[in-house]
Amino acid sequence: MILGSPGERALLLGNEAIARGAIEAGVHVAAGYPGTPSTEIIDTLAKVADRIGMIVDWCVNEKVALETAYAASMCGLRALATMKHVGLNVAADVFMSIGYSGVRGGLVVVSADDPGCHSSQNEQDNRYYSLMSYIPCFEPYCPQEAKDLLTTAYDFSEKYETAVLFRVTTRICHTRGDVVLGEIRRIERKAEFTYNPSRWVLLPVNSRKLRVKMLERITKLEDVLSSFEFNRLEGEGKVGIIASGIGYAYTRDALKALGLWGKVRVLKLASSNPLPAKLFRKFIESVEKILVVEEGDPFVLRRVKEKLFDLGVQIPVHGKGDYLPVAGELDLFSVMRAVARLVGVEVKEPSESISLEEKLSGKIPTRPPTMCPGCPHRATFYAIKQAMKELGERIPCTGDIGCYTLGFNPPFQLQDTSTCMGASIGEGAAIARFTGKPVVATIGDSTFYHAGVPGLINAVYIQAPLVAVVMDNGVTAMTGHQPHPGTGMTATGKRSKVIKIEDISRACGVEFVRVVDPYNLKETIQVIKDALEYAKRERKPAVVVARRLCALVAARKGLRGKPPVVEDCRGCMVCVNTFACPALIVEDGKVKIDEGLCFGCNVCTQICPFGAIRVRK
Amino acid sequence: MMETIVISGVGGQGILTMAKIIGYALVKKGLRVRVAEVHGMAQRGGSVVTYIRYGDVDCPRPSHGMAKALISLELLECTRYLYLLKRGGIVISNDWIYPPNVPGVSVPSKEEIVKLIEENTGKLYLIPANKIADSLGPRLIANTVILGSVAKLGILPLSKEELLESLKKNIKHKYLEVNFRAFDEGYKAV
Ligand SMILES: Cc1ncc(C[n+]2csc(CCOP(=O)(O)OP(=O)(O)O)c2C)c(N)n1
């Protein structure tokens, strides 16, 4: 479907539309690191990469992904880098430099922001990176425009020798919509590195000159973007709405629902930075008040206020912060309410539904996500908790980002911190050093490669009594099982060298390195205890690799075990209360195994104090 | 015309597949469609809600009181999202209750839940989708059972044939046979 013929009307996920856009633009190289809501762009491209001759990579982290794409651009190729919003923090160092040097082959950086924190630690609005880097920011309003705008972004990028920050949000990435497919361009180019030191070498002597060029470029783009086909004026009236990116989708539906379509002046923006100067001046000629509808921070709103100030024009501007909430995602009614308030018409509040929501939330228990049946992380957490119990100490447990962050919830409650990828080791080592007492850091395999390694080197360097438990399930699970440098496979399914966590740990200078199978509780508990005692005694870091394939991946490979049998359950509930596997269900005060859910890991058979849960013969 | 349908359930029940099947059929019918999904964290056994909007629509995320129907694969998740329904909206739900995986959680009884739903909606159709699925094969096809019921009730501007055609396009070939049967049983169940 992703390779469908031009003119075909397909149902595409926003991320698939972006992938199709890259294919239509003749992109040669696509690189990313997984992260919700960006992941399906590379996932989709990886599936067809070989057929269309595109190089598609999952990289070790976002910084390397952007370096990969930037290098492709240096070699004259069209390149795409994809990441979630916080990924751009990791890649920011490269990104800022690209603002200076500009590009050769077209380069688009997709930043998938997550307002509402569906799957993220924050709601940061990455359009600010556009201001900081002087790299223009494009924002599509729907899947169709995501495809078309991305394709256009490549011609734009090459024409003006600038990268483009392509900012999307969850409701673009993960919304399916009808998309009419376009022509697939094949651009034959050979990768050739051109020596151009005044451009690629950011020494002060070059940077000073490049900075002047960069400032001139962004000013010029204010005019260029005034006649950009994706920016336009619509409707008439004295009331104006500036609708940026997906804000335009909400604005359209709100105006239609209120019967105001065509009666309000709308400036539709697909480029939120720089603002198209001429188009903006034309817009403000006729309006007496303005509402800015945008997803995220009041980013465009602030730019608009600044522009009006510069022009010496006084028009009231509303949006995020007064008429619309800054926190969370937009929803249709919020936008309807804001528009109605601006125009001065009545809108019926859904008060009954709002009070129903409150009433229901008091009656229906919340359903936090949980680790799957057979998840090796559950066994590892159980072992960590048990080791602490046996040592008679609750030891601080710094956490990280991945499926294992769910160890935050009862019954484990073993994620005492969770900041950003890799921080468990950096923070854990520092806490251990400051307090003089051991700390357990829990980190996933993908996260270890991504940002854990420098922290581990530092832990050795500062001689911190840290026990890093690397929960190695063989894949980047949380984001949908992408391969990583420990998987032995590339994004496009080709064999690659397995880079082992234990080898890296030893090379970092860690002297205590053990690999355990978390399904073997006794061994895992013992090794964690040994590691803690070692760290305490030697004042050095230790690494325990808890290795077991993700149960979902294992199930897909047909590696399920047989569900255990329960005989003579006494109803003590130890398994349910300390292990909490979803496959352990309680009926009439006795535990049963839900055989449909059970993965057959048999870890619960090691937990029952009465031996009532037994391995099936 | 601007219509909204909500599908809810527990992560892992095939909610996204069901939404995709409906979305695909609507596109083939020539309609403009927005299907807003949730990926990532919530797919790990959490509460999942998906919006399907069609007609003259652009925005993916509706609000309180806008949906004409709520389709659910689990009763608690059905009740949780009732506030999205219009007055008199229709509810079609699997009659299964799956308690959240939280030690010591207390869950209202089926009678209480059904009463709560009936008090707040136009019409409730309870489908024993899990039981039907279990009798046919893997429990994962409960979503197709419900889809069959949806087809029968004519909630969507889609015929049975159009939904089946979409099912064919969006389900792996080797699972088609059992899904067709699930669809049929769901169709007969209302
Ligand atoms: C900088 C950054 N990039 C990407 C993500 C998205 N992300 C969240 S969890 C995760 C996967 C972690 O995988 P792993 O450490 O192997 O743990 P698993 O989920 O497999 O248990 C990723 C990539 C993020 N939160 N921050």
Side-chain angles (χ1 to χ4, degrees):
Chain A
M1 183 176 48
I2 203 68
L3 297 179
S5 329
E8 191 184 317
R9 221 169 134 263
L11 176 72
L12 294 188
L13 196 62
N15 280 342
E16 291 169 345
I18 292 171
R20 170 74 188 199
I23 296 168
E24 289 182 9
V27 164
H28 304 94
V29 174
Y33 180 75
T36 315
S38 73
T39 315
E40 298 80 8
I41 304 170
I42 297 287
D43 274 345
T44 304
L45 290 173
K47 281 190 203 127
V48 296
D50 292 344
R51 257 189 287 165
I52 58 175
M54 192 187 283
I55 295 174
V56 181
D57 284 351
W58 282 127
C59 297
V60 70
N61 64 27
E62 293 85 353
K63 180 172 185 288
V64 177
L66 185 51
E67 284 159 355
T68 303
Y70 179 44
S73 165
M74 284 179 184
C75 294
L77 304 179
R78 289 194 159 188
L80 175 72
T82 71
M83 55 203 67
K84 71 182 287 164
H85 58 346
V86 289
L88 193 52
N89 299 338
V90 177
D93 216 358
V94 198
F95 190 72
M96 290 299 145
S97 289
I98 297 173
Y100 277 71
S101 58
V103 306
R104 199 172 142 227
L107 174 62
V108 177
V109 181
V110 173
S111 163
D113 297 3
D114 188 16
C117 290
H118 290 280
S119 283
S120 308
Q121 64 263 45
N122 75 23
E123 290 194 318
Q124 74 182 51
D125 186 332
N126 275 5
R127 294 177 296 177
Y128 288 109
Y129 273 115
S130 161
L131 270 187
M132 244 203 285
S133 63
Y134 296 87
I135 291 174
C137 178
F138 289 1
E139 286 189 87
Y141 88 89
C142 66
Q144 176 81 52
E145 193 174 82
K147 177 185 83 61
D148 298 340
L149 186 63
L150 188 86
T151 310
T152 306
Y154 279 92
D155 295 332
F156 182 92
S157 171
E158 288 180 356
K159 184 163 180 196
Y160 301 104
E161 298 193 359
T162 174
V164 171
L165 175 64
F166 200 81
R167 189 253 190 176
V168 282
T169 51
T170 304
R171 299 297 177 183
I172 293 285
C173 298
H174 290 162
T175 291
R176 282 181 201 280
D178 41 313
V179 175
V180 179
L181 306 181
E183 218 48 75
I184 295 180
R185 275 188 280 175
R186 299 238 183 228
I187 304 174
E188 294 301 331
R189 282 188 202 167
K190 219 176 123 226
E192 254 171 322
F193 179 74
T194 50
Y195 295 89
N196 192 350
S198 62
R199 183 153 187 198
W200 306 138
V201 184
L202 293 181
L203 272 169
V205 56
N206 295 329
S207 300
R208 287 186 201 111
K209 288 182 203 132
L210 288 168
R211 173 145 172 94
V212 174
K213 247 176 104 175
M214 162 175 102
L215 295 171
E216 285 167 4
R217 182 169 59 219
I218 203 88
T219 310
K220 180 171 143 196
L221 291 180
E222 288 193 2
D223 283 336
V224 170
L225 289 166
S226 286
S227 47
F228 193 50
E229 57 180 303
F230 298 93
N231 292 333
R232 61 174 179 264
L233 290 171
E234 285 175 349
E236 296 301 330
K238 295 212 155 106
V239 173
I241 298 179
I242 299 178
S244 185
I246 197 169
Y248 179 69
Y250 287 96
T251 301
R252 262 175 88 115
D253 282 11
L255 287 173
K256 284 176 188 163
L258 295 167
L260 291 169
W261 181 246
K263 296 176 190 154
V264 170
R265 188 88 162 139
V266 176
L267 171 56
K268 176 203 172 296
L269 280 186
S271 67
S272 41
N273 184 51
L275 284 182
K278 279 187 204 151
L279 200 62
F280 179 71
R281 283 199 297 273
K282 202 163 160 215
F283 168 73
I284 59 168
E285 271 168 15
S286 63
V287 300
E288 290 168 359
K289 46 187 168 179
I290 297 174
L291 172 73
V292 181
V293 183
E294 59 190 320
E295 189 89 281
D297 278 16
F299 174 83
V300 170
L301 183 126
R302 286 178 184 141
R303 305 292 294 150
V304 165
K305 283 186 177 168
E306 199 180 300
K307 270 275 177 278
L308 290 173
F309 184 85
D310 288 349
L311 294 167
V313 177
Q314 281 203 352
I315 302 177
V317 189
H318 305 284
K320 291 269 188 167
D322 60 358
Y323 283 25
L324 288 163
V326 179
E329 293 185 282
L330 291 174
D331 70 87
L332 183 50
F333 196 81
S334 310
V335 178
M336 283 167 64
R337 188 190 282 133
V339 172
R341 188 167 161 196
L342 183 82
V343 178
V345 296
E346 286 289 318
V347 56
K348 195 179 167 303
E349 285 290 327
S351 6
E352 261 179 54
S353 305
I354 293 170
S355 50
L356 178 61
E357 181 183 17
E358 274 165 25
K359 183 173 127 192
L360 294 173
S361 71
K363 297 205 167 157
I364 304 298
T366 56
R367 188 187 299 277
T370 65
M371 289 177 261
C372 308
C375 177
H377 298 338
R378 178 181 290 104
T380 306
F381 278 121
Y382 181 89
I384 295 172
K385 195 142 193 163
Q386 201 59 32
M388 288 185 191
K389 233 187 234 164
E390 290 175 21
L391 294 173
E393 235 184 313
R394 170 67 164 87
I395 296 162
C397 196
T398 51
D400 223 300
I401 312 222
C403 290
Y404 50 91
T405 314
L406 296 172
F408 171 78
N409 293 327
F412 303 113
Q413 294 172 299
L414 282 178
Q415 294 284 282
D416 300 322
T417 65
S418 178
T419 312
C420 61
M421 287 185 75
S424 61
I425 296 186
E427 289 170 355
I431 294 170
R433 181 177 171 223
F434 301 149
T435 60
K437 291 187 205 148
V439 169
V440 175
T442 53
I443 184 166
D445 42 351
S446 192
T447 305
F448 179 81
Y449 297 105
H450 175 286
V453 178
L456 189 61
I457 295 173
N458 203 59
V460 175
Y461 189 40
I462 64 173
Q463 298 281 291
L466 175 81
V467 174
V469 178
V470 187
M471 303 175 139
D472 180 5
N473 59 3
V475 287
T476 314
M478 178 95 256
T479 48
H481 307 114
Q482 291 74 24
H484 59 56
T487 310
M489 198 176 76
T490 65
T492 50
K494 292 176 196 70
R495 262 176 189 284
S496 167
K497 186 176 168 68
V498 176
I499 300 157
K500 290 194 175 150
I501 294 161
E502 53 274 32
D503 293 347
I504 298 176
S505 302
R506 286 191 200 101
C508 289
V510 181
E511 291 157 28
F512 184 109
V513 179
R514 301 278 187 281
V515 181
V516 294
D517 175 1
Y519 283 1
N520 182 340
L521 282 183
K522 204 169 149 202
E523 184 202 3
T524 306
I525 294 166
Q526 188 57 49
V527 169
I528 292 171
K529 277 180 10 195
D530 291 349
L532 281 164
E533 274 160 4
Y534 166 87
K536 199 167 173 180
R537 188 177 65 238
E538 303 284 331
R539 325 239 30 99
K540 285 179 185 172
V543 168
V544 177
V545 183
R547 176 167 296 143
R548 200 20 114 148
L549 189 60
C550 166
L552 292 180
V553 176
R556 227 175 280 155
K557 290 186 171 179
L559 298 175
R560 266 177 195 279
K562 284 187 201 149
V565 284
V566 187
E567 274 167 36
D568 309 323
C569 169
R570 304 196 192 183
C572 72
M573 298 298 144
V574 165
C575 58
V576 171
N577 292 332
T578 65
F579 194 57
C581 174
L584 294 170
I585 50 175
V586 182
E587 264 174 32
D588 304 324
K590 304 255 192 270
V591 170
K592 274 181 54 181
I593 307 282
D594 182 328
E595 298 196 358
L597 286 176
C598 179
F599 169 77
C601 69
N602 281 312
V603 176
C604 57
T605 64
Q606 302 164 48
I607 287 170
C608 177
F610 301 103
I613 312 179
R614 293 175 208 155
V615 179
R616 190 181 296 254
K617 295 269 159 48
Chain B
M1 180 209 31
M2 226 189 250
E3 293 285 12
T4 303
I5 305 275
V6 176
I7 308 183
S8 67
V10 180
Q13 282 193 293
I15 297 150
L16 301 191
T17 308
M18 185 164 169
K20 189 173 164 187
I21 291 167
I22 296 174
Y24 181 92
L26 290 166
V27 168
K28 288 299 149 192
K29 184 107 189 166
L31 287 161
R32 199 175 163 81
V33 180
R34 296 287 177 266
V35 181
E37 309 181 343
V38 204
H39 298 204
M41 201 72 164
Q43 280 175 298
R44 300 279 175 273
S47 164
V48 169
V49 61
T50 296
Y51 314 115
I52 301 181
R53 309 193 72 234
Y54 57 91
D56 190 13
V57 293
D58 273 293
C59 104
R61 188 163 185 250
S63 337
H64 297 79
M66 289 189 181
K68 76 164 187 174
L70 168 61
I71 303 167
S72 189
L73 297 179
E74 197 273 345
L75 269 175
L76 294 170
E77 296 315 317
C78 175
T79 319
R80 193 188 309 285
Y81 296 106
L82 282 175
Y83 69 90
L84 290 168
L85 273 182
K86 277 182 197 170
R87 187 191 280 269
I90 298 173
V91 179
I92 302 152
S93 182
N94 190 353
D95 73 350
W96 183 53
I97 296 177
Y98 183 46
N101 181 31
V102 175
V105 69
S106 98
V107 173
S109 70
K110 194 178 215 165
E111 291 69 39
E112 287 173 281
I113 294 175
V114 169
K115 188 159 162 264
L116 204 54
I117 299 175
E118 282 179 337
E119 274 169 15
N120 291 292
T121 54
K123 180 82 190 141
L124 166 66
Y125 296 92
L126 275 183
I127 315 292
N130 269 31
K131 263 184 228 119
I132 295 175
D134 286 347
S135 73
L136 296 172
R139 182 169 290 181
L140 259 176
I141 58 175
N143 60 353
T144 308
V145 175
I146 297 282
L147 189 66
S149 310
V150 170
K152 177 69 176 288
L153 291 168
I155 294 159
L156 296 159
L158 295 168
S159 67
K160 184 179 175 184
E161 291 67 33
E162 285 165 330
L163 278 168
L164 281 171
E165 186 55 33
S166 179
L167 189 73
K168 224 189 266 176
K169 285 277 174 352
N170 289 290
I171 299 250
K172 275 207 188 116
H173 191 74
K174 63 174 170 178
Y175 302 122
L176 263 185
E177 195 49 49
V178 74
N179 272 284
F180 281 150
R181 277 195 283 150
F183 187 98
D184 260 355
E185 291 301 320
Y187 194 84
K188 283 189 270 181
V190 276

